[in-house]
């Protein structure tokens, strides 16, 4: 995730999640389209997960994808970053 963010001149500040989703706090420049960044993060992570865990292919064969097409992106410009980081840290790590 950090390498992908770096490709977009962005910084992965925090990363955590649950079994079926992840939370990322990313600091990125205004010239970066959030949809392009998210699609790259989802596409590369899906490809790497399928390479590392081949059984995932069989589990998700019918859908033929690991990630849904949807995502939520919110701005944390007004919230103190330590509160956003604390929220992400309190999520369960994916299994």
């Amino acid at each position: 995730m950090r390498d992908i963010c770096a490709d977009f001149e962005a910084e992965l500040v925090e990363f955590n999640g649950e079994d079926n989703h992840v939370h990322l706090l990313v600091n990125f420049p205004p010239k970066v389209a959030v949809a392009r960044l998210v699609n790259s993060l989802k596409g590369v992570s899906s490809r790497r997960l399928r390479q590392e865990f081949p059984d995932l292919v069989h589990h998700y064969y019918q859908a033929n994808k690991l990630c849904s097409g949807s995502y939520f992106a919110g701005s944390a410009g007004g919230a103190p970053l330590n509160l956003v980081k604390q929220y992400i840290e309190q999520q369960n790590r994916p299994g």
Side-chain angles (χ1 to χ4, degrees):
M1 295 293 192
R2 288 191 195 286
D3 291 343
I4 299 164
C5 287
D7 290 344
F8 283 84
E9 299 177 22
E11 175 193 10
L12 179 62
V13 178
E14 192 64 45
F15 171 76
N16 213 336
E18 300 179 25
D19 288 343
N20 62 355
H21 67 279
V22 295
H23 299 262
L24 290 90
L25 177 59
V26 179
N27 184 12
F28 61 94
K31 67 181 181 179
V32 172
V34 69
R36 287 191 60 228
L37 176 60
V38 169
N39 286 334
S40 184
L41 288 164
K42 290 170 73 169
V44 172
S45 62
S46 174
R47 187 170 48 257
R48 289 186 181 170
L49 283 169
R50 285 180 286 164
Q51 288 171 345
E52 188 170 342
F53 304 100
D55 289 344
L56 287 175
V57 174
H58 301 295
H59 182 68
Y60 292 97
Y61 177 72
Q62 287 182 327
N64 200 23
K65 59 184 178 179
L66 293 179
C67 301
S68 79
S70 62
Y71 63 89
F72 170 78
S75 171
L81 285 183
N82 64 333
L83 290 178
V84 178
K85 285 178 71 172
Q86 182 181 21
Y87 169 78
I88 293 171
E89 288 169 358
Q90 292 175 352
Q91 304 304 303
N92 294 325
R93 288 217 178 266

